[in-house]
Amino acid sequence: DFAICEPVTIPVTGTIGGSAMSGTWSIVPGFGAGVISASTTTGVSVDATYTVSASDIGGQVRLRLTTNDPDGGGPCSTASDDLIIDVNRRPIVSVPLDYTVCEPSSINLTGALSGSATTGIWSLLTGTGTLSASSITGSNVTASYTPSAGDVGNLVRFRLTSNVTGVCAAGYDEIQILIHQTARVNAGLDFEVCEDDIVNLNGSFSGATTSVTWTGGVGGTLANATNPITTYTLTAADIAAGGITFSLTSNDPDGAGPTNPCDPVVDQVYVKINKLPEVFLFGLQPTYAENNPIVNLDGIPVGGTYTGSGII
């Protein structure tokens, strides 16, 4: 008798002797739901193949090898022997299909146990980041991976491996994840200008960004909307609003589509617009004679007379 690990087919071999000339393998009734092939006798060996049924897995199959009747109706009868086979359920693990991510701070790994698997552990096959310890909740095995700078733009590959059960080897499954680089833009710090100033925008970009676009303002003029460092000319509407929020937007770094997870990114800067101070004069006459007394802005004489030849 022996044990096997959930195969599709089981080859069986028995031997005959004495006056036996041939033998036949059969399934002992009630101990196997599969199918046994025709038997082949070669010398003293009798071979056949048993095809396992799904209902056999996790139980026993009993097969019987029976000889021919060596003397027909004579006193000798057939001989038989039984073989018991334990069909062990194999451990199975499954992980999601390969996928792509956009430069995450961490990657959550999840796999499932089935069959005879009761535990599992995640391992890192390629990658230079940090993999956490595995955690098992029910049939789920989880872990977390923190990518390194060297992982960006590359594939990282992980393996989920089950425990060994009986005569069955550990089961495993692998997943690989492509890490795309994200776009980055910086619109700069918020600042203030006077209403008669030109607004100087000082943005920057990095990462997978290859182009940027400025937007914002009410009818004003951007000197170059696709240059991160540019200028904007204010309008009366901008001044009346008291401030403008400018947005610096990147291109889509990996294009559109379900396998391209990165999106355009936006950063904003707020520019406060300060109005110019205003001076009002009152209490003055439109004209003065050369010998008019000098007065203050309230029209009150302060002594002396105007003797100059200019304009007050």
Side-chain angles (χ1 to χ4, degrees):
D1 299 337
F2 62 92
I4 49 88
C5 184
E6 195 180 332
V8 176
T9 57
I10 306 172
V12 290
T13 298
T15 58
I16 55 176
S19 60
M21 300 298 294
S22 64
T24 302
W25 282 100
S26 61
I27 303 170
V28 177
F31 290 94
V35 177
I36 189 129
S37 69
S39 301
T40 302
T41 303
T42 306
V44 296
S45 295
V46 182
D47 301 323
T49 299
Y50 178 76
T51 300
V52 174
S53 165
S55 62
D56 295 333
I57 299 170
Q60 289 184 335
V61 171
R62 181 170 294 187
L63 304 179
R64 179 170 293 163
L65 176 58
T66 305
T67 69
N68 63 309
D69 186 344
D71 57 2
C76 294
S77 62
T78 62
S80 65
D81 192 20
D82 288 356
L83 171 66
I84 298 173
I85 304 170
D86 289 317
V87 184
N88 290 353
R89 192 178 301 278
R90 67 185 176 93
I92 302 170
V93 297
S94 57
V95 299
L97 296 175
D98 299 342
Y99 63 95
T100 304
V101 294
C102 186
E103 197 173 341
S105 57
S106 64
I107 297 173
N108 293 322
L109 301 170
T110 300
L113 304 173
S114 59
S116 60
T118 56
T119 63
I121 186 169
W122 283 99
S123 58
L124 177 63
L125 300 180
T126 61
T128 55
T130 303
L131 180 65
S132 73
S134 299
S135 176
I136 301 172
T137 304
S139 62
N140 293 322
V141 185
T142 59
S144 178
Y145 179 72
T146 303
S148 69
D151 291 333
V152 178
N154 296 307
L155 284 166
V156 288
R157 192 165 84 253
F158 306 92
R159 175 179 288 175
L160 178 58
T161 305
S162 79
N163 57 310
V164 175
T165 60
V167 297
C168 295
Y172 70 88
D173 197 6
E174 295 179 0
I175 181 174
Q176 62 182 15
I177 301 170
L178 176 61
I179 302 177
H180 281 187
Q181 187 179 38
T182 187
R184 293 183 178 88
V185 294
N186 185 351
L189 297 175
D190 297 346
F191 61 97
E192 300 180 17
V193 296
C194 201
E195 66 176 306
D196 60 346
D197 288 340
I198 296 293
V199 178
N200 292 301
L201 298 171
N202 290 284
S204 61
F205 63 86
S206 59
T209 310
T210 57
S211 63
V212 293
T213 303
W214 282 105
T215 55
V218 184
T221 302
L222 281 163
N224 187 345
T226 59
N227 191 328
I229 300 175
T230 189
T231 61
Y232 177 81
T233 302
L234 296 171
T235 65
D238 294 327
I239 297 168
I244 308 170
T245 297
F246 291 97
S247 297
L248 183 62
T249 305
S250 77
N251 63 306
D252 187 339
D254 56 5
T259 60
N260 299 322
C262 293
D263 295 317
V265 296
V266 182
D267 192 29
Q268 295 181 327
V269 59
Y270 179 74
V271 180
K272 182 181 178 183
I273 303 170
N274 295 317
K275 293 188 176 182
L276 290 169
E278 296 180 349
V279 177
F280 298 95
L281 300 179
F282 56 90
L284 296 178
Q285 301 299 320
T287 60
Y288 286 87
E290 182 178 359
N291 60 349
N292 277 150
I294 298 175
V295 297
N296 63 19
L297 295 183
D298 294 323
I300 301 173
V302 296
T305 57
Y306 173 67
T307 59
S309 59
I311 298 175
I312 298 176

